[in-house]
Amino acid sequence: SHDHWMTHCQGVEYSERTCLRYWMRWCPWALQFGDVEALARTHNGGPKYHRACKTARYWRKVKVSMEVAAYDFRHNPRLREWKHERR
């Protein structure tokens, strides 16, 4: 329902878990090795991102945003949970 979507699906935690599930299906190697470029480009262009020119521009935007925010994907708590579950 609309109320469920408004309260659950728009939250950061739900979004992170959704992205992790998507990446686990389509590029688990990128999660395992921390290949943030492959993760971003897969998120933008789908599993065959390397065939889509638009993903290079998207990756540049993501990279700049991560540098400005000093964000390190490897320290994301959802990623740590995922790695722990995979053991």
Side-chain angles (χ1 to χ4, degrees), residues 17-64:
R17 289 187 187 280
T18 301
C19 285
L20 280 170
R21 285 193 302 269
Y22 181 80
W23 291 329
M24 281 188 280
R25 177 173 180 169
W26 296 110
C27 56
W29 55 269
L31 277 173
Q32 182 179 358
F33 295 110
D35 187 342
V36 182
E37 180 178 358
L39 295 172
R41 293 180 76 175
T42 300
H43 175 78
N44 180 247
K48 298 183 191 292
Y49 73 85
H50 59 281
R51 294 184 183 171
C53 295
K54 69 177 183 173
T55 64
R57 187 173 74 223
Y58 180 75
W59 163 241
R60 286 192 297 273
K61 290 179 182 181
V62 169
K63 185 177 178 184
V64 168

Side-chain angles (χ1 to χ4, degrees), residues 1-11 14 21:
S1 75
H2 181 66
D3 292 336
H4 175 78
W5 183 80
M6 291 297 290
T7 57
H8 293 96
C9 301
Q10 289 189 321
Y14 184 86
R21 285 193 302 269

